[in-house]
């Protein structure tokens, strides 16, 4: 039987060092949290709707994603905590809106990737 354990600890030291330096300048925890939020289908649908509408009431969002008001409110609060949506109360209604236009860009990039389009 041959020894299948790698005896070399690092082949490309410069690339490893460069990658570690770039990661030091990246808030990987927050960035991975953003992508985790986007990986939930209902949250993605909410962000998609809010990306193209000025604002939507919780009940409207619930209708769009086909969920209960309680479930929708939970998703909206998670998105608000992350800072990608915000809300305002008008009378008894709470309206949500996108608080960062870059979310639209991210959604459009995702659509391009899903279609197999190039980055350009």
């Amino acid at each position: 039987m041959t020894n299948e354990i790698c005896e070399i600890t690092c082949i490309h030291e410069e690339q490893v060092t460069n990658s570690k330096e770039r990661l030091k300048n990246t808030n990987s925890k927050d960035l991975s949290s953003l992508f985790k939020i986007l990986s939930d289908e209902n949250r993605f649908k909410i962000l998609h709707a809010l990306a193209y509408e000025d604002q939507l009431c919780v009940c409207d969002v619930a209708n769009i994603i086909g969920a209960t008001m309680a479930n929708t409110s939970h998703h909206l609060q998670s998105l608000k905590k992350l800072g990608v949506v915000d809300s305002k109360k008008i009378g008894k209604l709470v309206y949500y809106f996108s608080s960062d236009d870059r979310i639209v860009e991210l959604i459009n990039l995702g659509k391009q990737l899903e279609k197999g389009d190039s980055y350009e």
Side-chain angles (χ1 to χ4, degrees):
M1 177 179 242
T2 61
N3 186 2
E4 294 185 16
I5 297 173
C6 185
E7 295 178 5
I8 299 171
T9 58
C10 186
I11 294 175
H12 302 99
E13 286 186 42
E14 185 177 346
Q15 287 94 331
V16 170
T17 300
N18 291 340
S19 290
K20 285 182 176 182
E21 282 300 313
R22 281 189 297 274
L23 280 171
K24 282 182 186 177
N25 298 323
T26 301
N27 190 336
S28 57
K29 185 176 182 179
D30 285 351
L31 192 55
S32 64
S33 291
L34 171 64
F35 284 107
K36 183 178 178 184
I37 289 286
L38 289 172
S39 71
D40 180 275
E41 185 177 3
N42 281 332
R43 291 180 184 156
F44 174 81
K45 287 178 180 179
I46 291 168
L47 288 172
H48 189 276
L50 293 176
Y52 298 100
E53 301 298 334
D54 289 336
Q55 62 184 13
L56 291 168
C57 178
V58 176
C59 59
D60 294 332
V61 176
N63 274 293
I64 290 168
I65 69 171
T68 65
M69 294 266 289
N71 183 268
T72 302
S73 290
H74 173 75
H75 286 306
L76 286 164
Q77 286 304 312
S78 296
L79 293 168
K80 187 175 180 177
K81 186 177 178 181
L82 187 64
V84 294
V85 302
D86 205 350
S87 65
K88 64 181 174 183
K89 189 170 184 173
I90 301 175
K92 294 182 179 182
L93 301 175
V94 178
Y95 289 90
Y96 283 84
F97 51 92
S98 177
S99 60
D100 194 333
D101 291 338
R102 294 174 297 177
I103 293 297
V104 177
E105 294 173 33
L106 189 57
I107 289 170
N108 287 332
L109 178 60
K111 286 180 174 183
Q112 290 173 7
L113 290 170
E114 187 264 334
K115 291 178 183 176
D117 294 348
S118 68
Y119 289 104
E120 298 149 351

